[in-house]
Amino acid sequence: MLRKSFFVQLTSIVMILLMAGCSSSGSATGNQQAADTQQQQPTASASASPSVSQQGEGSATRIVTDARGEQITIPANPQRIVDIAGATEELLVLGFQPIASGNTDMADPSLFTPIVQAKLDSKTLNTGWYNTETNPEIIMEAAPDLILAGPPQAPIYDKLSQIAPTVLVPYNFSSFRERFAFVADVLDKKDEMYAWLKEYDARAAQLHDEINKAIPDETFAIIEATAKEVRIYSTTGVADIIYSDLKLPKAPGIPDPDKWGGKVTSIEGLSTLNPDHIILMSESEENVLKDSKIWSGLKAVKDSQVYQLSTRQNYNEAFTALGKQALLEQLANDILK
């Protein structure tokens, strides 16, 4: 009996030791697998562009660096974007439908711009013009999962970031391509951005060739005339479309711009110009320059080669993706006629 009891106890001890060995081996293997998995996970980039996506607690996230140089964790696939950076048209191009937007009509901030209005969902909230400070309560009502904010929203950044992850975009309305590239980078949509720009630039090049064939080497000036002042533009907005996109020649005598892209002058200041073509922007259909002898003496005026736009259309369309497309076609068509 004692010998039998001894063998039972010995057998039990051996079984226990074997089980312990298997458990130890399994634990070591599990730890090694965890270490290998951790090594394969992408790490956050410290550069100005977003990092590769990484897995958060139950949802994919991305780490991006905003205008302040701060790293922000955002959803990898945001579904409820609030745009108060002026990038709504670019978001639409990239395949996003923002739930709130600040791309409002210059003349009436209670409305979206006509192009944006035609593309947005009817329930999209109007946050007020993006180039002014936004009321955070409107943003809170939208319940976003991502906020894109422009430079004017910097003073309320802390309030916005309490509502949802907020990325401060470093470019204002006059820096179209830079803003577009930054937003596309944040949302991991650079391929879509490049495809759109390639198509846009190809169309601009085609129109350039058509115009150059019809009126080779003829010069252009972009003038904004109001009851208060006259401005001559050389960069940004319509000037960017004419000189940078269509690559049409500047008239001699166009002054270097101030930081907003133009130079304030007087009617007398127009005497230094004599372009073949003028794009005239004004607040209404009424041309405040029409009674000026200097104006009527300009070659473009005498040859009826003045193409009039409203100031409202310039600011609603010339600084954003879909608007630039529309104005590119309109201006080229006017010139070719």
Side-chain angles (χ1 to χ4, degrees), residues 7-328:
F7 280 114
V8 170
Q9 290 177 3
L10 181 61
T11 301
S12 299
I13 291 171
V14 170
M15 291 295 295
I16 291 170
L17 290 173
L18 286 172
M19 290 175 65
C22 291
S23 175
S24 175
S25 174
S27 175
T29 302
N31 289 340
Q32 184 60 48
Q33 288 173 342
D36 292 342
T37 301
Q38 187 173 8
Q39 284 184 334
Q40 293 169 5
Q41 286 293 325
T43 56
S45 170
S47 67
S49 60
S51 74
V52 183
S53 13
Q54 61 182 17
Q55 195 70 22
E57 294 182 4
S59 62
T61 60
R62 287 167 56 76
I63 297 176
V64 302
T65 304
D66 73 357
R68 304 165 307 130
E70 296 291 332
Q71 291 189 329
I72 315 296
T73 300
I74 68 170
N77 297 293
Q79 302 298 308
R80 299 183 60 80
I81 300 176
V82 164
D83 169 43
I84 46 176
T88 293
E89 290 185 22
E90 290 73 59
L91 289 174
L92 291 167
V93 166
L94 297 175
F96 295 93
Q97 179 71 232
I99 59 169
S101 168
N103 278 65
T104 63
D105 190 290
M106 175 196 172
D108 186 355
S110 69
L111 302 172
F112 293 119
T113 64
I115 287 179
V116 165
Q117 184 71 58
K119 299 284 186 180
L120 287 180
D121 187 277
S122 60
K123 297 179 181 178
T124 306
L125 290 177
N126 184 331
T127 64
W129 190 35
Y130 66 86
N131 211 39
T132 57
E133 193 173 300
T134 303
N135 183 351
E137 292 183 4
I138 298 175
I139 310 300
M140 188 177 298
E141 181 183 346
D145 59 5
L146 175 63
I147 301 170
L148 297 177
Q153 316 306 329
I156 59 170
Y157 178 86
D158 289 342
K159 292 180 180 179
L160 294 173
S161 62
Q162 291 174 9
I163 299 170
T166 301
V167 176
L168 197 62
V169 179
Y171 302 104
N172 64 17
F173 71 95
S174 64
S175 302
F176 164 70
R177 289 180 185 253
E178 294 86 353
R179 186 185 65 240
F180 194 3
F182 183 89
V183 170
D185 209 14
V186 165
L187 296 169
D188 197 22
K189 293 286 185 178
K190 287 189 289 185
D191 288 346
E192 290 82 350
M193 176 203 67
Y194 289 134
W196 187 92
L197 286 175
K198 182 178 180 180
E199 182 179 339
Y200 176 86
D201 289 338
R203 178 59 176 159
Q206 179 186 7
L207 291 171
H208 162 84
D209 292 345
E210 292 178 18
I211 293 169
N212 194 53
K213 183 178 180 180
I215 49 168
D217 302 321
E218 294 192 8
T219 61
F220 290 78
I222 294 92
I223 298 169
E224 182 180 27
T226 69
K228 294 181 179 180
E229 61 188 17
V230 176
R231 299 182 180 190
I232 302 172
Y233 283 87
S234 58
T235 61
T236 73
V238 169
D240 194 45
I241 294 173
I242 292 293
Y243 299 135
S244 298
D245 299 341
L246 288 171
K247 294 180 171 53
L248 300 176
K250 287 183 182 179
I254 289 179
D256 292 334
D258 289 331
K259 62 181 181 179
W260 44 267
K263 193 80 172 181
V264 175
T265 185
S266 60
I267 293 178
E268 289 73 24
L270 296 179
S271 62
T272 62
L273 298 176
N274 198 24
D276 297 304
H277 303 264
I278 292 174
I279 288 88
L280 176 65
M281 299 183 292
S282 55
E283 294 175 325
S284 67
E285 294 181 2
E286 183 71 15
N287 177 8
V288 298
L289 301 175
K290 62 182 176 60
D291 296 328
S292 164
K293 290 183 179 180
I294 294 175
W295 172 257
S296 59
L298 294 175
K299 183 179 186 299
V301 177
K302 290 189 288 186
D303 292 346
S304 299
Q305 294 186 146
V306 177
Y307 321 109
Q308 195 159 348
L309 289 175
S310 68
T311 299
R312 178 180 184 177
Q313 186 180 13
N314 173 49
Y315 287 108
N316 280 350
E317 298 180 12
F319 299 88
T320 48
L322 301 176
K324 284 173 72 71
Q325 271 185 325
L327 269 180
L328 182 77

